[in-house]
Amino acid sequence: LAGRGDDAPTMTLTILRVVAPLLLEHTHVDPGSRMRWELEATASGCTLRLSHFVTDPQTAIDNCYVVGLHTSLERLLPCLAGQPIAWDWDAFTAAQAAYAELGLAPSIEPS
């Protein structure tokens, strides 16, 4: 999996299960964790259900996994509409602050 742009991350993942076009399950960079993407038909289109199964919740919190998923999924609709938008570090920081208040991300140190 390769990102785009300067300093884009590259991750090696293993596909664990595919039920086209309804399900994709793959490993995550965190050893032992996996992600499952499921589509469910609805009257108006479909619902995406994304599950991230982690082996160590504290590691997931410390590494901002929920923040990254939140920021990534906010970019999904523009991408599906053919108008992808660049990664937004300000949005990531705002999401991290909100999740930190819930104990689901590390607090942001004042600069």
Side-chain angles (χ1 to χ4, degrees):
L1 179 64
R4 295 184 176 181
D6 298 335
D7 300 320
T10 299
M11 297 174 269
T12 300
L13 311 171
T14 300
I15 295 174
L16 302 171
R17 186 170 173 216
V18 175
V19 180
L22 302 174
L23 180 130
L24 170 64
E25 189 170 345
H26 60 82
T27 60
H28 184 263
V29 296
D30 186 27
S33 72
R34 68 191 196 315
M35 296 186 74
R36 180 182 296 157
W37 306 75
E38 298 174 86
L39 295 177
E40 180 180 336
T42 65
S44 61
C46 68
T47 297
L48 168 63
R49 183 174 300 109
L50 173 57
S51 303
H52 186 175
F53 302 92
V54 299
T55 56
D56 181 7
Q58 191 59 52
T59 296
I61 290 168
D62 293 343
N63 289 332
C64 291
Y65 292 161
V66 71
V67 181
L69 287 173
H70 178 114
T71 307
S72 294
L73 290 172
E74 289 222 330
R75 300 168 58 225
L76 181 59
L77 285 178
C79 188
L80 292 173
Q83 300 172 338
I85 56 175
W87 183 263
D88 184 345
W89 283 109
D90 292 333
F92 183 94
T93 301
Q96 182 176 349
Y99 283 109
E101 288 183 19
L102 300 171
L104 298 174
S107 297
I108 298 172
E109 298 298 323
S111 47

